[in-house]
Amino acid sequence: MKARKRPSTSAMVSARRKESVQKQAKTASTIITFLLEGTLVSISAVAEAAGVSRNFIYSHESLLHQIEAGRQTQADLGETPRQRRPTNGAPGRAALLTELSMAHGSIKRLRQELTDLNKRHEHCLGEQLHASSRTERSVAAAAQDAETRQLTEENRLLRQQLETQGHRISDLTDELIAERRASY
């Protein structure tokens, strides 16, 4: 029996975010459709038409603002629920203004998300540079340790040679003294 792979937490979070963004887009589209058709914009009606819960709308401030803007547009136009105004196939000025207002809100939200993503990106790059710097320091320290060991060994060999040469000088000095005494 094969073990089932569990999706990673980040994959699940990513899928949930994607689903949420799709639901938000569907809900915003429903609000625009209501305005264009002259249907009364309300949280319950929009939630039902978009296939989302009212709690979903309440949990997304941008959707609440869009619904409120739609209500205000309808109130400004003096439209009553389900009443349609002739548009000759083109959306009315109020609907276009509402759509423009919602587009500005979306642009503002996307700019903020971009700023946040840029900050996270810079933070990640900083961490990578810091880790790289630590690795370089570690490599440099290892090279320095190897050089220190090599120099220590060379120093030990030179001391041995110095000691050997010192004994030889001492022996030669003793021989020289002995020959001088013998020649007197």
Side-chain angles (χ1 to χ4, degrees), residues 73-89:
T73 299
Q74 287 179 334
D76 291 346
L77 295 174
E79 292 183 351
T80 57
R82 301 280 182 215
Q83 180 182 3
R84 293 187 180 195
R85 297 180 61 172
T87 59
N88 297 330

Side-chain angles (χ1 to χ4, degrees), residues 69-136:
R71 285 179 178 166
Q72 187 61 46
T73 299
Q74 287 179 334
D76 291 346
L77 295 174
E79 292 183 351
T80 57
R82 301 280 182 215
Q83 180 182 3
R84 293 187 180 195
R85 297 180 61 172
T87 59
N88 297 330
R93 177 175 170 73
L96 290 175
L97 288 174
T98 301
E99 189 173 349
L100 181 63
S101 172
M102 289 188 296
H104 282 296
S106 293
I107 290 169
K108 184 177 178 181
R109 180 182 50 83
L110 290 172
R111 281 186 179 152
Q112 183 60 45
E113 286 178 15
L114 180 62
T115 301
D116 294 344
L117 286 172
N118 281 335
K119 286 179 184 176
R120 284 181 36 207
H121 183 252
E122 289 173 5
H123 178 75
C124 289
L125 284 176
E127 286 180 351
Q128 286 177 349
L129 285 173
H130 183 69
S132 173
S133 176
R134 271 189 278 152
T135 302
E136 289 173 5

Side-chain angles (χ1 to χ4, degrees), residues 1-169:
M1 177 180 235
K2 282 187 175 179
R4 293 173 78 186
K5 272 187 144 180
R6 296 177 110 181
S8 69
T9 304
S10 62
M12 289 189 297
V13 168
S14 177
R16 295 287 293 186
R17 281 190 186 135
K18 183 178 178 182
E19 181 183 4
S20 178
V21 168
Q22 289 172 341
K23 285 181 177 181
Q24 288 180 48
K26 173 76 171 144
T27 306
S29 175
T30 302
I31 295 168
I32 292 169
T33 302
F34 274 30
L35 289 170
L36 293 174
E37 293 176 351
T39 305
L40 178 65
V41 177
S42 70
I43 292 175
S44 297
V46 170
E48 183 179 332
V52 298
S53 69
R54 291 183 338 187
N55 286 337
F56 179 81
I57 293 174
Y58 282 117
S59 66
H60 292 84
E61 191 174 331
S62 64
L63 294 175
L64 286 172
H65 288 302
Q66 290 174 12
I67 288 174
E68 186 56 39
R71 285 179 178 166
Q72 187 61 46
T73 299
Q74 287 179 334
D76 291 346
L77 295 174
E79 292 183 351
T80 57
R82 301 280 182 215
Q83 180 182 3
R84 293 187 180 195
R85 297 180 61 172
T87 59
N88 297 330
R93 177 175 170 73
L96 290 175
L97 288 174
T98 301
E99 189 173 349
L100 181 63
S101 172
M102 289 188 296
H104 282 296
S106 293
I107 290 169
K108 184 177 178 181
R109 180 182 50 83
L110 290 172
R111 281 186 179 152
Q112 183 60 45
E113 286 178 15
L114 180 62
T115 301
D116 294 344
L117 286 172
N118 281 335
K119 286 179 184 176
R120 284 181 36 207
H121 183 252
E122 289 173 5
H123 178 75
C124 289
L125 284 176
E127 286 180 351
Q128 286 177 349
L129 285 173
H130 183 69
S132 173
S133 176
R134 271 189 278 152
T135 302
E136 289 173 5
R137 283 193 306 256
S138 174
V139 167
Q144 196 172 24
D145 287 346
E147 186 178 359
T148 301
R149 284 192 297 274
Q150 180 184 357
L151 289 173
T152 302
E153 180 61 22
E154 286 177 17
N155 192 16
R156 186 185 65 77
L157 291 174
L158 288 172
R159 282 187 184 170
Q160 282 180 347
Q161 288 176 358
L162 180 65
E163 188 177 323
T164 302
Q165 294 299 328
H167 287 306
R168 178 143 185 203
I169 290 173

